[in-house]
Amino acid sequence: MTSGLGAQPETTGGHGTLRGIALKIVSVAVFVGMQTCIKAAGDVPAGQIVFFRSFFAIFPIIAFLALKGHLATAFATKRPFNHIARGIVGVAAMGLGFFALTRLPLPEAITLNYAQPLLVVVFSSVFLGETIRVYRWSAVAIGLVGVLIISWPELTLLNSDEGLDDQEVLGVMAALIAAAISAVAMLLVRNLVQTEKTATIVLWFSSTASVLSLLTLPFGWQALTPAQAALLILAGFCGGLGQILMTAAYRHAEASVVAPFEYTSMILGVVVGYLVFGDVTSASTLVGGVIVVAAGIFIIWRERQLGLERTRKAALPQG
């Protein structure tokens, strides 16, 4: 298996699809680590978080490229405007997502964010022309049902007798818009991997995001404690590694296949929540978690069957 860095685009096939799914799951695990660091850092302005997450993501990427001898050509591209567009879209999604977290209880923000995989499937069909069969639609929908089962008992906005205040309305709108923009970002990545190296995509994104996030300096950055700074720097390192893995995942498999495995972050979040923050898992979380995992396993099984079918057809004599 080649590393995502420097790999040339591959034709999607049975083994490539499973490799893409595996890379996505690992990237999700790394991103959960990043989110854990950000949560542990406490109340920090969203733009400041975006800067740390983007700027310090560059260092592990550069170190890895230097080790492999690929650093000299990492920034080389014939599509700078495509990279900048991907960076602008990615920063907008991150900023709105962090804004939503500051305005909503965590369960609401998480649940609204899970609209993203469904939107990736829809946008992949509309804008990329990917063929989405009923099995894939069903698995994505079932996975979303599992997430809702996990989150439903904690949805204070639905259980509250009072209407939403203005800040909560803004938070809901920001979370939904962030999910939609993030889905667009995934499609831009899928387009870029057709001609660009994974390292090039990641470095351009991190650099663009770092510069754009600095524009939020006048809007209230704050002095950080040593612990907060360390956590946010670590979050940046995790962000860089996760970005490489995620981009490589979209190189090996269609966006609509890879996207549903974002749901696994809920399972990982349960484990990390218990081990790090002492959160006790509820029965609804366990039931919903089983459904999410089952949906993911079904996609793996279905894609393997399709891969075997394509192999058999390719082996048949032509004429």
Side-chain angles (χ1 to χ4, degrees), residues 53-238:
R53 181 258 180 269
S54 303
F55 181 73
F56 288 98
I58 297 173
F59 293 92
I61 301 167
I62 288 178
F64 186 85
L65 288 170
L67 204 62
K68 294 291 184 180
H70 296 156
L71 187 57
T73 59
F75 269 104
T77 181
K78 294 180 179 179
R79 304 174 67 188
F81 294 108
N82 297 75
H83 286 287
I84 292 171
R86 184 265 184 275
I88 292 171
V89 171
V91 168
M94 277 198 294
L96 286 167
F98 293 142
F99 177 85
L101 280 171
T102 64
R103 298 299 189 274
L104 292 173
L106 186 60
E108 280 85 338
I110 289 175
T111 303
L112 292 170
N113 183 61
Y114 273 98
Q116 188 234 51
L118 281 177
L119 291 171
V120 169
V121 173
V122 174
F123 292 170
S124 296
S125 177
V126 174
F127 298 116
L128 298 185
E130 293 184 3
T131 301
I132 315 297
R133 296 182 176 85
V134 65
Y135 298 100
R136 207 177 293 170
W137 284 116
S138 301
V140 173
I142 290 170
L144 183 59
V145 168
V147 171
L148 289 173
I149 289 174
I150 292 170
S151 304
W152 193 271
E154 304 300 328
L155 290 178
T156 56
L157 295 185
L158 296 179
N159 296 329
S160 176
D161 294 330
E162 300 178 3
L164 302 182
D165 63 33
D166 291 343
Q167 293 302 308
E168 288 174 329
V169 170
L170 285 174
V172 170
M173 292 173 61
L176 290 174
I177 295 171
I181 294 175
S182 183
V184 173
M186 294 303 99
L187 299 192
L188 291 174
V189 170
R190 177 65 177 169
N191 176 261
L192 281 169
V193 296
Q194 304 304 315
T195 59
E196 303 292 284
K197 296 177 181 177
T198 300
T200 303
I201 296 171
V202 175
L203 280 176
W204 270 87
F205 172 71
S206 296
S207 301
T208 304
S210 298
V211 172
L212 291 174
S213 63
L214 286 175
L215 299 178
T216 67
L217 260 170
F219 300 99
W221 282 31
Q222 66 185 41
L224 301 176
T225 67
Q228 284 179 314
L231 285 166
L232 291 179
I233 290 171
L234 181 57
F237 274 69
C238 288

Side-chain angles (χ1 to χ4, degrees), residues 185-312:
M186 294 303 99
L187 299 192
L188 291 174
V189 170
R190 177 65 177 169
N191 176 261
L192 281 169
V193 296
Q194 304 304 315
T195 59
E196 303 292 284
K197 296 177 181 177
T198 300
T200 303
I201 296 171
V202 175
L203 280 176
W204 270 87
F205 172 71
S206 296
S207 301
T208 304
S210 298
V211 172
L212 291 174
S213 63
L214 286 175
L215 299 178
T216 67
L217 260 170
F219 300 99
W221 282 31
Q222 66 185 41
L224 301 176
T225 67
Q228 284 179 314
L231 285 166
L232 291 179
I233 290 171
L234 181 57
F237 274 69
C238 288
L241 178 57
Q243 200 73 36
I244 292 172
L245 294 166
M246 183 274 290
T247 304
Y250 282 91
R251 181 184 303 280
H252 291 290
E254 291 183 350
S256 53
V257 173
V258 171
F261 289 87
E262 188 71 31
Y263 291 136
T264 57
S265 64
M266 180 63 77
I267 309 303
L268 294 171
V270 168
V271 175
V272 172
Y274 177 75
L275 295 177
V276 178
F277 300 106
D279 298 330
V280 178
T281 305
S282 65
S284 62
T285 298
L286 293 175
V287 172
V290 169
I291 293 173
V292 173
V293 172
I297 291 174
F298 176 77
I299 290 181
I300 293 175
W301 175 82
R302 179 62 184 169
E303 289 301 319
R304 182 175 183 277
Q305 295 300 111
L306 290 174
L308 291 173
E309 184 178 333
R310 284 191 291 266
T311 302
R312 284 195 297 267

